Amino acid sequence: MTRNHQEKPWCRYADDGIAHCKTRRSAEKLLADLNQRFVECGLELHPEKTKIVYCQDGKRKGCHQNTKFKFLGYEFRRRMVKSSKGRMFLSFTPAISNEAKKDINKTIRRTGVRNRSDLSLEEVALWLNPMLNGWINYYGRYNKSALKPVMRQINYTLIKWCTRKYKRFRYSKARACQYLIKTFEMRPYLFAHWKRGIQGSFV
């Protein structure tokens, strides 16, 4: 890239990388050069992950086989965004991928926090907040609203915790939900996602 493609923006993390080309012809030339270079080094480009992607948006309206890709837990594709003036338009932007959402949900389930009735709500917050802050800091950098379904699942986990912690909620998720809503209204800084304004819903 340094010797032969200096004009192309690109980045790499471990064995994943992306490069931006202005035309399809330029992208095909780059792919051919990369294939050749990898062979020289005794390596091989991943046959499924390596592809040319068209950055389709409101202005680039061409039809191509690939119009989205995933990189470091983000999915880059065409989506509606709001401008600084409040106008909606189509842009090619990143947001947390579905796979990353599933990984977060799996991590929360593995903690077993919903079964820890021996803990107080404050102790649950101290346990989860470092993880929540990490996810929000990373995946919330772009299209933060895409995290809302994940945070809604966190709230659902807290509702399940309430049904195990308090006998009066044991057979009523609705009452446990109302309890959490009141807690959120009174203590909006207790959990990281509440504090950061992407609390999601409680139902």
Side-chain angles (χ1 to χ4, degrees), residues 62-80:
C63 295
H64 293 263
Q65 180 180 0
N66 301 310
T67 56
K68 60 184 178 181
F69 68 92
K70 295 168 185 174
F71 185 62
L72 303 183
Y74 278 94
E75 182 178 65
F76 293 71
R77 64 172 176 83
R78 183 180 67 168
R79 66 184 83 238
M80 274 289 186

Side-chain angles (χ1 to χ4, degrees), residues 1-202:
M1 294 300 295
T2 301
R3 289 198 307 266
N4 302 317
H5 298 275
Q6 296 181 10
E7 77 287 358
K8 296 180 179 65
W10 70 287
C11 66
R12 178 183 66 85
Y13 182 83
D15 61 346
D16 284 334
I18 55 175
H20 183 73
C21 302
K22 293 183 178 180
T23 66
R24 182 179 183 89
R25 182 176 180 180
S26 177
E28 290 172 345
K29 175 66 166 60
L30 173 59
L31 181 56
D33 288 352
L34 286 174
N35 266 316
Q36 180 179 342
R37 179 59 177 159
F38 268 57
V39 170
E40 291 172 356
C41 297
L43 301 171
E44 182 183 7
L45 292 173
H46 195 290
E48 296 178 2
K49 293 174 64 175
T50 305
K51 56 186 176 181
I52 295 175
V53 175
Y54 179 63
C55 302
Q56 190 180 61
D57 59 15
K59 295 181 179 179
R60 294 172 290 207
K61 301 180 181 180
C63 295
H64 293 263
Q65 180 180 0
N66 301 310
T67 56
K68 60 184 178 181
F69 68 92
K70 295 168 185 174
F71 185 62
L72 303 183
Y74 278 94
E75 182 178 65
F76 293 71
R77 64 172 176 83
R78 183 180 67 168
R79 66 184 83 238
M80 274 289 186
V81 298
K82 184 182 291 187
S83 70
S84 57
K85 297 181 180 179
R87 296 177 180 176
M88 302 301 293
F89 67 100
L90 283 170
S91 179
F92 191 85
T93 57
I96 183 173
S97 68
N98 288 332
E99 288 78 5
K101 292 177 185 178
K102 292 177 182 178
D103 286 343
I104 291 175
N105 290 335
K106 287 180 182 178
T107 298
I108 291 297
R109 283 198 297 270
R110 282 197 297 266
T111 65
V113 65
R114 65 175 59 191
N115 299 317
R116 293 297 303 273
S117 58
D118 57 306
L119 301 178
S120 67
L121 190 59
E122 290 76 14
E123 289 172 323
V124 171
L126 286 173
W127 184 7
L128 296 183
N129 280 343
M131 289 185 284
L132 294 174
N133 275 317
W135 291 323
I136 294 170
N137 287 339
Y138 184 75
Y139 292 111
R141 185 174 179 83
Y142 305 100
N143 287 288
K144 188 184 292 185
S145 61
L147 279 169
K148 286 185 177 180
V150 180
M151 299 307 151
R152 183 168 60 246
Q153 190 64 32
I154 302 295
N155 288 336
Y156 180 74
T157 296
L158 295 175
I159 290 171
K160 294 292 288 184
W161 175 85
C162 284
T163 62
R164 288 167 169 79
K165 174 71 175 179
Y166 303 108
K167 291 182 179 180
R168 64 184 186 275
F169 300 144
R170 188 157 297 172
Y171 302 106
S172 179
K173 291 181 182 178
R175 292 177 62 190
C177 179
Q178 289 299 317
Y179 168 76
L180 275 180
I181 291 174
K182 289 181 180 178
T183 302
F184 164 68
E185 292 171 348
M186 295 176 62
R187 306 175 66 185
Y189 298 104
L190 182 59
F191 286 91
H193 60 306
W194 296 359
K195 180 180 179 180
R196 304 285 284 274
I198 49 172
Q199 66 271 10
S201 66
F202 289 89

